[in-house]
Amino acid sequence: MNKPMCEQDILNYFDDAIKNGHIYALYQPKINHATGRMIGAEALMRWTQPGFGVQFPSDFIPLLEKNDLIYRADLHLFESVCKFLRECIDNGIKPVPISVNMSRYDIYRRDYADQIEKLRIKYDIPVKYIHVEVTETSAIGGMELISNVLNKLHNFGYIVEMDDFGSGYSSLNVLKDLEVDIIKLDMRFLSGDIGGRGGTIISAIVQMAKWLGTPVIAEGVETVEQADFMKSIGCKYVQGYLYSKPLPPEEFCNKLSMREHEPLKPAMALIRHMDAGKFWDPDSMETLIFNNFVGGAAIFTYQEGRIEILRVNKKYVNEIGMNMMEQDVLSCDPMKTFAKDKYRKRYEETLHRAIESGSEESCYTWRKVCSKTCGEETICIRSYIRMIGKTDTQYLFYAMVQNITSEKQQSLQFKEDERRFKNAFEQINVYAWEYIIATKQMRPCFRCMRDLNLPPLVENYPDSAIEVGIFPPDYADLYREWIRKLDCGEVDTIEGIIPLTVGRVPFHVRYTLERDENGAPLKAYGSAALVVDPQSEPS
Ligand code: C2E
Ligand code: CA
Ligand code: CA
């Protein structure tokens, strides 16, 4: 049975507990949810006092902090971790990096970093096997103190993890000013609802961390849904009851020797064209501009054929339309939205052009977009794309978008009309053309072009057509006279039978004049239909 210890008990038993190992570490694995492999573990303090049973950190750590004992407790725990790692190494078991928690009160003891470094050297543990977790509340004591400690730790070669990120104390600013290597995001701070606001905040943080080039570990992950959600937004590292509770050293050691493990992939630094810190600072000029003074815009990364949208502004969401939520946009894989493979190719080609030219490139693509309220729709997006940063393998792009669906649909409709028109003429054996009076140009239909071998635009009409023999010479004067009457608007229609084509087949030729608003002649529409001899019709 566990009995709580009061403050006096803690003071009375502390020295003895340190000496006799009543204060010790449990190990909770950190897992890559994409592969199921262990990438590290966190050492968590426990105190099992005879007569009282197991005590949890929430019961005794605040009291140790209050009584200036946490420094000793933390160094004691650090030493246990070193001993554990030494045993693993000596027994041929490959360890994973173990992170130890540093209290914010340890920061006031200026030699904390030197002390742990002494212990590490004493047990001869490669520095890569130890990480240090600091909380953002450590910054409360002043940026300078914490910065100095982090510098020291980094100089010794320790990886530093920012614990409980997002739990308060102006997280964004802390992150901007403190150089941490890994961010730990506690799911429990972001109350339950991953589909709503909580999810939006988490995914914004993960995206931002990516932009800063910092890997994220989600902790307090209890369900597969939570882990899958985190993976879907680009955070595959998880720690929590879903995979394992904190384990006693023997049990954890078994896990280590049984399971394959893998290193946490370090994130790479972007070669920046823009100041990343400013860009993510909600109060910066850059953010103000992005949100208010540009049209629909998105920032995304491109790597080996994969696109990941990091950020969109409100106008982008409006431009896409369909009542989309920002979350819908951020969570969808843009490569899967192209309506046809040729649009995906076109888009990627444009990205490559933008990489090569370093200036703005544009293209349009049809996309199939799905939203909760509108279902699936096909829309056409024109994108103006510019590369704004790159690493060895990854590119960062800025894209302005315009929804040009209705314009495209209209022009498609127009093309469709034209196609039908052509087909209709094809069916009824009619040749058609238009004659533009002011310029003496003639625009033939598709059939005219094919059967009479005409170019799309015939200049100097009708003389040029007469010259090439489309009209028999004895009809030339009659035909010139028709055109003259149309030119000066003497008639509105004119028609007659003229033998045409090489075979001199009789055609019924007819013109209709079009005038402008003042009645002046503009165009004449000509048509020629084969004269069908009733006697030759089959009866
Ligand atoms: P923490 O560093 O955020 O540690 C994670 C806490 O969440 C641990 O509680 C762990 O047991 C618990 N946890 C892990 N997975 C889950 C989960 O899926 N669901 C839930 N509900 N909880 C989960 P624990 O061990 O009670 O530690 C509490 C806090 O005490 C730690 O929070 C840390 O701030 C502090 N602490 C623990 N060990 C040390 C230490 O050695 N030194 C210092 N200074 N602080 C420590
Ligand atoms: Ca921690
Ligand atoms: Ca934590």
Side-chain angles (χ1 to χ4, degrees):
M1 266 296 101
N2 291 340
K3 196 173 118 197
M5 288 161 79
C6 69
E7 187 166 357
Q8 197 52 53
D9 296 328
I10 283 172
L11 295 177
N12 289 345
Y13 294 116
F14 181 74
D15 285 338
D16 176 62
I18 293 269
K19 214 186 303 152
N20 296 314
H22 296 152
I23 294 177
Y24 57 95
L26 295 186
Y27 298 90
Q28 187 176 36
K30 299 174 179 175
I31 306 288
N32 178 346
H33 182 55
T35 61
R37 294 200 188 127
M38 210 193 294
I39 53 143
E42 176 176 6
L44 293 157
M45 199 185 284
R46 295 291 180 270
W47 182 343
T48 306
Q49 184 61 34
F52 289 89
V54 183
Q55 309 290 313
F56 286 88
S58 53
D59 306 319
F60 64 87
I61 284 189
L63 293 169
L64 293 182
E65 287 177 339
K66 184 179 160 207
N67 291 286
D68 206 16
L69 292 170
I70 189 68
Y71 172 77
R72 282 178 59 205
D74 278 345
L75 288 182
H76 166 74
L77 205 90
F78 189 91
E79 184 159 13
S80 330
V81 169
C82 288
K83 282 182 187 160
F84 174 78
L85 285 168
R86 175 75 353 240
E87 247 173 67
C88 286
I89 296 169
D90 288 346
N91 290 320
I93 297 166
K94 192 168 181 279
V96 288
I98 309 284
S99 62
V100 289
N101 287 282
M102 177 179 168
S103 160
R104 69 185 174 96
Y105 291 89
D106 295 334
I107 289 165
Y108 300 122
R109 302 292 197 104
R110 284 162 197 270
D111 67 343
Y112 173 82
D114 298 307
Q115 291 301 330
I116 65 168
E117 181 61 359
K118 247 193 222 162
L119 289 167
R120 184 185 74 78
I121 289 167
K122 177 175 164 195
Y123 290 92
D124 189 22
I125 309 296
V127 71
K128 67 175 176 188
Y129 287 135
I130 303 175
H131 293 190
V132 178
E133 292 190 13
V134 298
T135 62
E136 49 178 325
T137 48
S138 308
I140 289 175
M143 270 314 186
E144 213 186 305
L145 271 182
I146 174 84
S147 288
N148 288 342
V149 178
L150 292 198
N151 275 344
K152 229 176 198 177
L153 290 172
H154 277 143
N155 287 341
F156 290 137
Y158 293 94
I159 298 235
V160 178
E161 303 187 14
M162 166 74 80
D163 202 0
D164 300 347
F165 182 75
S167 63
Y169 198 68
S170 60
S171 316
L172 279 176
N173 286 328
V174 172
L175 200 61
K176 192 150 56 71
D177 299 332
L178 290 186
E179 286 202 16
V180 293
D181 307 292
I182 293 168
I183 291 170
K184 293 187 80 179
L185 193 63
D186 199 315
M187 301 294 283
R188 286 165 295 171
F189 294 135
L190 299 140
S191 53
D193 160 37
I194 48 174
R197 200 175 144 71
T200 309
I201 294 171
I202 295 178
S203 83
I205 292 174
V206 172
Q207 310 293 3
M208 179 198 62
K210 264 193 201 159
W211 167 234
L212 291 172
T214 315
V216 178
I217 299 174
E219 60 175 338
V221 174
E222 294 181 351
T223 65
V224 182
E225 288 74 28
Q226 286 175 326
D228 285 347
F229 170 76
M230 292 309 293
K231 200 176 86 185
S232 79
I233 59 168
C235 169
K236 52 182 187 259
Y237 302 127
V238 300
Q239 175 187 346
Y241 296 164
L242 170 64
Y243 278 101
S244 173
K245 297 215 163 191
L247 303 171
E250 316 75 54
E251 238 177 278
F252 177 65
C253 194
N254 282 342
K255 270 218 159 121
L256 269 185
S257 46
M258 265 159 41
R259 276 214 208 170
E260 254 187 287
H261 29 272
E262 62 177 51
L264 180 148
K265 288 244 165 55
M268 59 208 151
L270 282 168
I271 301 163
R272 283 162 208 164
H273 288 197
M274 284 164 66
D275 182 340
K278 268 193 202 156
F279 192 77
W280 291 110
D281 178 352
D283 300 323
S284 76
M285 189 56 98
E286 282 77 359
T287 298
L288 189 76
I289 291 171
F290 186 73
N291 286 337
N292 300 291
F293 297 108
V294 296
I299 307 276
F300 62 90
T301 59
Y302 174 68
Q303 178 172 22
E304 288 161 7
R306 273 177 50 80
I307 284 180
E308 211 153 338
I309 301 181
L310 301 186
R311 192 175 185 187
V312 294
N313 63 9
K314 276 221 173 59
K315 284 181 199 155
Y316 179 98
V317 181
N318 291 344
E319 201 67 31
I320 302 287
M322 303 178 60
N323 286 325
M324 295 272 269
M325 304 279 289
E326 192 174 322
Q327 183 51 39
D328 297 338
V329 176
L330 289 177
S331 63
C332 86
D333 178 356
M335 283 307 198
K336 296 205 175 114
T337 64
F338 293 109
K340 282 186 184 152
D341 206 43
K342 71 171 179 182
Y343 297 121
R344 184 189 56 75
K345 281 200 186 117
R346 177 184 297 174
Y347 198 79
E348 284 200 75
E349 279 163 16
T350 312
L351 295 182
H352 286 287
R353 279 207 315 278
I355 290 168
E356 269 157 39
S357 71
S359 52
E360 188 174 274
E361 301 290 342
S362 90
C363 68
Y364 77 85
T365 47
W366 285 90
R367 323 256 184 111
K368 279 208 167 76
V369 186
C370 206
S371 81
K372 287 196 189 88
T373 45
C374 302
E376 193 177 82
E377 245 179 65
T378 307
I379 59 173
C380 188
I381 298 291
R382 177 166 282 289
S383 316
Y384 302 88
I385 301 166
R386 192 183 277 278
M387 184 186 72
I388 55 170
K390 66 173 178 185
T391 67
D392 297 347
T393 55
Q394 198 177 38
Y395 296 96
L396 189 73
F397 288 99
Y398 181 88
M400 304 251 294
V401 297
Q402 264 174 358
N403 188 336
I404 54 166
T405 310
S406 61
E407 288 91 325
K408 277 284 166 196
Q409 272 164 353
Q410 271 171 24
S411 90
L412 278 182
Q413 185 61 45
F414 181 74
K415 279 205 182 119
E416 176 60 15
D417 288 348
E418 208 171 56
R419 196 182 60 79
R420 285 212 193 112
F421 187 67
K422 268 184 194 158
N423 279 344
F425 276 117
E426 193 78 357
Q427 294 299 320
I428 57 173
N429 252 347
V430 167
Y431 293 89
W433 63 95
E434 60 182 45
Y435 165 62
I436 302 139
I437 288 166
T439 56
K440 291 202 152 294
Q441 286 169 322
M442 179 269 227
R443 231 186 266 284
C445 74
F446 167 75
R447 270 170 70 95
C448 297
M449 285 161 60
R450 187 192 60 195
D451 294 355
L452 304 174
N453 202 17
L454 290 177
L457 193 69
V458 180
E459 303 283 352
N460 191 28
Y461 195 78
D463 290 339
S464 55
I466 292 168
E467 262 163 41
V468 297
I470 292 172
F471 301 96
D474 40 336
Y475 280 83
D477 287 343
L478 168 102
Y479 197 66
R480 285 203 181 90
E481 180 59 12
W482 279 18
I483 298 295
R484 191 197 59 76
K485 285 186 175 164
L486 292 166
D487 281 349
C488 57
E490 261 177 50
V491 292
D492 279 296
T493 58
I494 197 162
E495 56 191 302
I497 307 271
I498 304 180
L500 290 178
T501 72
V502 195
R504 298 291 172 239
V505 190
F507 274 83
H508 189 141
V509 180
R510 181 188 160 88
Y511 271 102
T512 310
L513 185 69
E514 183 185 88
R515 297 172 187 270
D516 69 12
E517 62 270 32
N518 302 317
L522 264 184
K523 274 186 195 173
Y525 295 98
S527 67
L530 200 59
V531 175
V532 183
D533 179 358
Q535 271 143 40
S536 70
E537 287 275 283
S539 51

